[in-house]
Amino acid sequence: MNFKIAVLPGDGIGPEISAQGVDVMSAVCERFGHDVEYSYALCGADAIDRTGDPFPEETFRTCLWADAVLFSAVGDPRFDNDPTAKVRPEQGLLAMRKKLGLFANIRPVETFDCLIHMSPLRKEIIEGADFVCIRELTGGMYFGEKFESDDRAYDTNAYTRTEIERILRVAYAYAGRRRKHLTVVDKANVLASSRLWRKVAQEMAPQYPDITTDYMYVDNAAMRMIQDPRDVIVTENTFGDILTDEGSVISGSMGLLPSASTGEKTPVFEPIHGSWPQAKGKNIANPIAQILSVAMLFEHFCLTEEGAAIRQAVNAALDANVRTPEIQIPDGPFYGTREVGAWIVDYIRNH
């Protein structure tokens, strides 16, 4: 296969982990006989500094050219600490999602046997955890009508039937490949938008008779996630953002979990974590979430052997204590971002 990949390193630790993702993808393509071409583009604070736009038109064109986007992270404390800023790095991420029609965000949460002790949850709860959140990504409060003044502000949580139906179809497809159980998460006892979600889901459920559908309020779901993280849930944008960040700590580190965003145009593959500007240039950021995003990229194109090769290499690295400092064993050897990436690349090439 010939791959065209748009690479958006972004801000903070983004360029460091992005480089490892690119190296891993190149190694897999070399091993399995694929050709790959990369095109780099600006996004986030870096794009604001250079162009004034967090998602420039040229970046959008590069994404449309590509078969897939390998994205890293955006965010900068210069903007976080300035509530008056009119342009922010995160607006670039939202613009990318909207312009590419990326309405479905898939966030799997898995555990690694050698890191179970690092989870804040008990071993018997998380051992074998295998959880997926399907998050609607282009609707809700993040994109609804907004108003802000010195005395009053609001964000509109708007959804249409079409938006809900299409994300539910994605969720049912995932549930059908797994335990044949789907939980629709909402706040239908309070929010009108959630009542529409539940109504549409109840109407669609009979179309999937082999899948058990149930419904859960988001506050209850937040509790259930840490009691039994073995399910597929689907939910709206804001709830999904919060729940998936909660789910990320189950594995022991936010630096371990990838995600995919799919929809109308080019799919995007990215780690779930942010830009961690405090670690920029220190060679301590965990590249595994970025690397596993590459595995999800290959699997999106039904290249399961390629994805499995990456997962095998990641597991081998963790088992061999080739880990960045936040998950390293006490008094273990130092491996930085570059060293972990290089070890995984070498493993892929030689196994």
Side-chain angles (χ1 to χ4, degrees):
M1 185 170 177
N2 298 321
F3 282 106
K4 296 185 292 185
I5 304 297
V7 182
L8 277 60
D11 308 321
I13 61 171
E16 297 169 69
I17 61 170
S18 176
Q20 309 316 311
V22 167
D23 287 349
V24 166
M25 181 157 193
S26 296
V28 172
C29 286
E30 179 184 330
R31 174 176 163 182
F32 287 90
H34 304 301
D35 293 323
V36 60
E37 178 184 357
Y38 302 104
S39 183
Y40 288 76
L42 302 174
C43 188
D46 184 39
I48 294 173
D49 291 341
R50 299 192 192 200
T51 71
D53 186 342
F55 189 67
E57 185 63 26
E58 184 177 349
T59 298
F60 178 48
R61 289 196 297 268
T62 300
C63 292
L64 291 178
W65 160 86
D67 298 307
V69 177
L70 188 61
F71 174 76
S72 297
V74 295
D76 190 289
R78 290 178 294 148
F79 301 89
D80 297 340
N81 298 325
D82 182 7
T84 66
K86 300 301 182 185
V87 181
R88 298 178 179 275
E90 292 78 10
Q91 291 171 343
L93 182 57
L94 296 180
M96 177 171 67
R97 292 169 178 171
K98 198 69 173 179
K99 288 187 175 183
L100 293 178
L102 303 173
F103 64 85
N105 181 232
I106 297 96
R107 290 194 177 188
V109 175
E110 298 178 68
T111 54
F112 301 87
D113 289 344
C114 64
L115 296 177
I116 282 179
H117 66 286
M118 300 198 70
S119 174
L121 302 183
R122 297 195 309 271
K123 177 181 178 181
E124 57 267 29
I125 292 177
I126 66 160
E127 204 163 32
D130 191 7
F131 172 81
V132 178
C133 180
I134 311 297
R135 169 190 171 193
E136 200 289 324
L137 204 58
T138 56
M141 284 194 291
Y142 291 3
F143 293 94
E145 182 184 349
K146 302 177 184 301
F147 173 81
E148 183 177 358
S149 71
D150 289 340
D151 303 308
R152 185 169 180 261
Y154 63 78
D155 301 277
T156 307
N157 195 48
Y159 272 103
T160 66
R161 172 177 289 273
T162 299
E163 289 173 322
I164 298 167
E165 287 176 343
R166 67 183 182 181
I167 192 67
L168 284 170
R169 283 192 287 269
V170 173
Y172 273 115
Y174 270 84
R177 294 193 293 268
R178 294 168 61 86
R179 299 171 63 200
K180 298 190 182 300
H181 184 273
L182 178 65
T183 299
V184 181
V185 174
D186 59 34
K187 192 65 175 171
N189 58 334
V190 176
L191 301 177
S193 56
S194 282
R195 286 192 286 275
L196 180 61
W197 269 78
R198 186 167 294 207
K199 178 181 179 181
V200 173
Q202 289 173 337
E203 291 173 358
M204 288 183 64
Q207 301 173 27
Y208 302 90
D210 60 329
I211 297 173
T212 300
T213 305
D214 59 22
Y215 308 89
M216 192 175 293
Y217 296 146
V218 64
D219 39 0
N220 189 21
M223 293 185 288
R224 289 292 301 165
M225 273 181 57
I226 60 175
Q227 293 172 325
D228 186 23
R230 291 166 182 82
D231 212 342
V232 178
I233 70 169
V234 59
T235 191
E236 59 100 64
N237 203 344
T238 306
F239 296 160
D241 192 5
I242 297 167
L243 289 175
T244 52
D245 280 354
E246 179 192 8
S248 71
V249 303
I250 290 174
S251 66
S253 170
M254 288 187 71
L256 295 169
L257 299 181
S259 73
S261 298
T262 63
E264 299 167 2
K265 299 182 177 71
T266 314
V268 175
F269 301 87
E270 62 183 292
I272 68 158
H273 58 71
S275 61
W276 197 16
Q278 298 84 355
K280 179 180 179 180
K282 295 182 179 179
N283 192 38
I284 61 172
N286 193 338
I288 286 179
Q290 181 81 87
I291 290 168
L292 289 176
S293 297
V294 179
M296 291 188 75
L297 187 159
F298 282 114
E299 290 158 357
H300 175 81
F301 292 100
C302 299
L303 299 173
T304 55
E305 286 188 57
E306 288 83 340
I310 295 174
R311 297 183 186 279
Q312 181 184 10
V314 166
N315 282 320
L318 293 173
D319 288 341
N321 296 323
V322 180
R323 314 175 188 177
T324 44
E326 92 282 4
I327 55 171
Q328 186 53 288
I329 60 173
D331 301 319
F334 173 82
Y335 287 93
T337 311
R338 293 187 296 272
E339 289 78 14
V340 170
W343 196 97
I344 291 172
V345 165
D346 184 69
Y347 188 96
I348 290 169
R349 286 175 172 162
N350 293 290
H351 288 79

